[in-house]
Amino acid sequence: MNEFFKNVLLFTLIPLGIFLLMCVTSDEGMLMAGLLALAVVAGYFIIGLILIIANKNLVGKAMLLSSGIILLVGLSICGIALSGISVIR
């Protein structure tokens, strides 16, 4: 497994696992997971851009890709769960 794929898995699966645990706990946890996901996606995106500018291309690209994956998977699941369609339970 190459280093880029390891970084993408590390930067993606750890926050998604934390968000899933937060969503399982309660309705307030679901709301907080959505807000935390927004902050993590914004942070990953900004830090990824800074790292690419600073010539740390491997980690920067991994963070940008991870922010997109979290945006796609995490926020869509939280949005579906908050709208009342029970996917997680």
Side-chain angles (χ1 to χ4, degrees), residues 11-12 15-16 19 33-45 63-80:
F11 291 136
T12 303
L16 283 178
F19 299 152
L35 293 174
L36 185 62
L38 285 172
V40 167
V41 166
Y44 273 11
F45 187 77
M63 289 189 89
L64 285 175
L65 183 61
S66 295
S67 72
I69 293 171
I70 292 170
L71 185 68
L72 179 71
V73 174
L75 295 179
S76 63
I77 289 175
C78 283
I80 289 170

Side-chain angles (χ1 to χ4, degrees), residues 10 21 24-25 31-32 39-40 48 52-53 64 70 74 76 85:
L10 177 73
L21 286 175
V24 171
T25 57
L31 182 63
M32 290 306 293
V40 167
I52 286 177
I53 291 171
L64 285 175
I70 292 170
S76 63
I85 301 171

Side-chain angles (χ1 to χ4, degrees), residues 1-11 58 62:
M1 191 179 329
N2 61 10
E3 191 69 27
F4 177 75
F5 190 64
K6 286 181 186 177
N7 285 338
V8 169
L9 285 178
L10 177 73
F11 291 136
L58 186 72

Side-chain angles (χ1 to χ4, degrees), residues 45-61 63-64:
F45 187 77
I46 291 170
I47 292 171
L49 285 177
I50 291 171
L51 286 173
I52 286 177
I53 291 171
N55 249 353
K56 304 288 185 195
N57 290 335
L58 186 72
V59 178
K61 288 179 186 178
M63 289 189 89
L64 285 175

